Amino acid sequence: SKARRIIARQIGPIEPGCNAPSPTSYSVRAGTAVRSLKNGSLSIGDVAMLSGFSEVSSFSRWFFQHFQQTPSSWRAQNLRG
């Protein structure tokens, strides 16, 4: 899709046949995920796409592996006033 090509140009392509980011782009994708989750108006699906994932489930698994909590839990904890 057009959005996927734009994202790939900005943060690097997702490896063929894999929904997980390459190790070299981890910090960029993690930063994108965290900044996007702080925007309470974006859905988890939107955050996943902006972070370079085509599937929410793949993003959620990746996020949990790196942050030890789900994206929804992270958002709830970090948006508290």
Side-chain angles (χ1 to χ4, degrees):
S1 75
K2 184 177 180 179
R4 189 176 174 95
R5 287 190 304 272
I6 291 169
I7 291 166
R9 276 196 304 265
Q10 292 176 355
I11 61 176
I14 295 174
E15 296 175 21
C18 179
N19 288 328
S22 66
T24 57
S25 62
Y26 164 76
S27 63
V28 173
R29 290 177 196 266
T32 299
V34 166
R35 282 190 306 278
S36 298
L37 284 170
K38 286 181 179 178
N39 179 340
S41 66
L42 292 174
S43 70
I44 300 299
D46 290 339
V47 173
M49 188 200 71
L50 289 170
S51 301
F53 290 85
S54 61
E55 301 290 332
V56 175
S57 60
S58 296
F59 170 71
S60 294
R61 280 191 303 275
W62 173 85
F63 194 92
F64 190 86
Q65 288 173 347
H66 294 285
F67 295 96
Q68 288 72 52
Q69 59 190 58
T70 66
S72 298
S73 296
W74 188 95
R75 173 183 270 171
Q77 185 178 24
N78 287 279
L79 287 182
R80 284 189 210 140

